[in-house]
Amino acid sequence: MEAQDTPSGRRRGRARGRVGVALVMVLCGVLFATTSRLAAGGSIRDESSDVAGVLADRGRTIEELTEDNADKRAEIEELRGQGAGAATAERTAVVEDAVGLSEVSGPGLRITLTDAPSSALGAIPGTEPDDLVVHQQDLESFINALWAGGAEAMMLQDQRVVNGSAFRCAGNTLLLEGRVYSPPFVITVIGPVEEMTEALDSSQNVQLYREWVDHVGLGEKVETLQDTTLPAYVGPLAVDAAVSR
């Protein structure tokens, strides 16, 4: 949809014995196949349905899949400890790192985005309520820029996100892996700090958001972290295939 030439229109444009590698990888494949069912569900919510009911159904599905994941990951860890051998353990670790199932530590950034104060409605002519909230495309703009800047691992709110993670915004709330969050929205990322900062500064969509920071008072706080730790991803996985390299 083409953006209108109004403040609102411009913004709307805005992871025993001889146990071989094969057995471990088969278990990983079962894990991926089980959890990929969630991704097949499409959008988190249907605009025409009852949001509370959708969230309740999705929460039950996520709980079931999380239990399946925990069981299969426990099997993998058990096999790794029953004489699988150094080579098998090493290759399994590589798969875990690639998918995002390992804890990651290092320098990074923490970015906090907040809604604008409601007082801007009466103080700034032409301002609408929709202009004062952090939207899904705003979060996507920052996340995409960070990946482009070489991000190695990322967390949104208190959840690790990986390739294939999906979130939706409903009003000024964030729906992520069946959980509902209110602002402020916090992105924590590990990677090359200078390159990621440059990627944010060069992103047109991030710059558009920053224009609205100045215009209506949307919040943006960028902090440099000398060292931080992101937990392993524990949500459902949407993986079509695992390729050994």
Side-chain angles (χ1 to χ4, degrees):
M1 180 180 296
E2 184 178 357
Q4 300 174 358
D5 189 19
T6 64
S8 299
R10 291 196 299 274
R11 183 160 185 238
R12 295 193 185 98
R14 339 184 256 178
R16 177 164 47 185
R18 296 168 38 185
V19 179
V21 173
L23 182 54
V24 175
M25 296 305 293
V26 165
L27 283 171
C28 288
V30 172
L31 170 62
F32 297 155
T34 300
T35 57
S36 67
R37 286 178 288 162
L38 180 60
S43 177
I44 288 180
R45 64 188 178 92
D46 183 340
E47 297 292 347
S48 62
S49 64
D50 176 60
V51 174
V54 172
L55 290 177
D57 291 341
R58 183 55 55 93
R60 287 190 290 269
T61 301
I62 290 172
E63 185 176 349
E64 294 173 0
L65 293 176
T66 299
E67 291 177 359
D68 288 343
N69 289 343
D71 291 341
K72 291 177 173 61
R73 290 174 186 173
E75 289 183 57
I76 293 173
E77 291 300 321
E78 183 178 358
L79 289 172
R80 290 178 62 184
Q82 291 183 353
T88 298
E90 181 179 353
R91 294 192 63 183
T92 302
V94 170
V95 172
E96 290 179 342
D97 291 343
V99 175
L101 304 182
S102 301
E103 183 180 272
V104 179
S105 297
L109 297 172
R110 180 187 295 121
I111 300 166
T112 304
L113 305 180
T114 55
D115 290 347
S118 58
S119 58
L121 279 177
I124 303 174
T127 301
E128 301 177 3
D130 193 51
D131 300 326
L132 307 183
V133 300
V134 178
H135 290 285
Q136 179 174 328
Q137 65 262 31
D138 301 323
L139 287 168
E140 290 172 345
S141 296
F142 279 84
I143 288 172
N144 290 338
L146 291 167
W147 285 128
E152 300 169 10
M154 193 178 300
M155 185 166 69
L156 179 57
Q157 301 299 83
D158 58 352
Q159 296 192 54
R160 177 83 176 269
V161 296
V162 296
N163 184 26
S165 292
F167 62 88
R168 295 289 185 273
C169 287
N172 68 338
T173 60
L174 169 69
L175 312 180
L176 175 63
E177 302 296 354
R179 301 180 191 175
V180 182
Y181 299 92
S182 297
F185 301 127
V186 181
I187 305 169
T188 309
V189 58
I190 290 176
V193 172
E194 184 175 347
E195 287 85 346
M196 292 191 298
T197 302
E198 291 177 353
L200 290 174
D201 293 341
S202 62
S203 167
Q204 292 184 351
N205 289 331
V206 170
Q207 295 311 308
L208 179 59
Y209 177 86
R210 289 174 174 172
E211 290 179 12
W212 282 81
V213 170
D214 296 334
H215 184 58
V216 299
L218 286 171
E220 179 197 8
K221 181 180 180 181
V222 180
E223 303 170 84
T224 299
L225 306 175
Q226 298 301 322
D227 185 68
T228 190
T229 299
L230 301 188
Y233 177 75
V234 294
L237 295 168
V239 178
D240 295 327
V243 180
S244 177
R245 297 181 183 275

